[in-house]
Amino acid sequence: FVLRPIGWIRKTKTKTRIVLYKKYQGGLMGFDKLSDIWVFWWFDRNDTPHMRSTLKVHPKGNLANPLTGVFATRAPVRPNLIALSRCKVLSVKNNVIEIDEIDALPDTPVLDLKP
């Protein structure tokens, strides 16, 4: 199957936004009533065969932490590079959602949004 982004994380020095493709704007109806959302995004910069095959890591990249399976961590390496972040909704205008912060890098693809 194929996953396609619905939008992108955009960051400036003062704002963090999720900018959806215009064709998904209708899906935001009622979104302005939400205080928090789950953002599903793709670890696109780690999408290599090596990163997808890494199954054990030292949490937080710290070698002092015991080797742990990726499914028991929030490591950015895993077989399917899906990430999940809880964010506060600050505003919604057209196809743009301003959020407080997210642990994704700028220009990261967004896969889905859930209340």
Side-chain angles (χ1 to χ4, degrees):
F1 60 90
V2 177
L3 293 174
R4 291 185 179 86
I6 61 169
W8 301 87
I9 302 294
R10 303 294 189 212
K11 293 185 176 185
T12 65
K13 289 182 180 181
T14 59
K15 292 186 180 190
T16 301
R17 296 168 299 160
I18 299 167
V19 180
L20 297 186
Y21 291 119
K22 287 275 191 185
K23 68 182 182 178
Y24 297 116
Q25 184 174 329
L28 293 176
M29 181 184 240
F31 216 79
D32 56 335
K33 294 174 178 55
L34 302 175
S35 61
D36 296 275
I37 57 169
W38 289 103
V39 180
F40 292 81
W41 49 278
W42 193 258
F43 281 113
D44 61 316
R45 290 158 183 93
N46 289 345
D47 203 347
T48 67
H50 170 71
M51 295 295 205
R52 283 177 171 255
S53 65
T54 301
L55 297 177
K56 296 177 184 175
V57 296
H58 294 278
K60 300 183 179 180
N62 183 343
L63 295 179
N65 290 329
L67 203 56
T68 306
V70 296
F71 301 132
T73 72
R74 290 188 51 91
V77 294
R78 38 204 341 107
N80 289 306
L81 302 166
I82 300 168
L84 176 65
S85 297
R86 185 87 172 157
C87 303
K88 292 207 174 298
V89 175
L90 302 179
S91 69
V92 181
K93 184 174 181 183
N94 300 320
N95 63 317
V96 179
I97 307 151
E98 186 177 346
I99 56 176
D100 60 339
E101 61 183 358
I102 192 167
D103 53 346
L105 297 173
D107 304 319
T108 294
V110 174
L111 301 176
D112 203 355
L113 304 167
K114 306 251 187 226

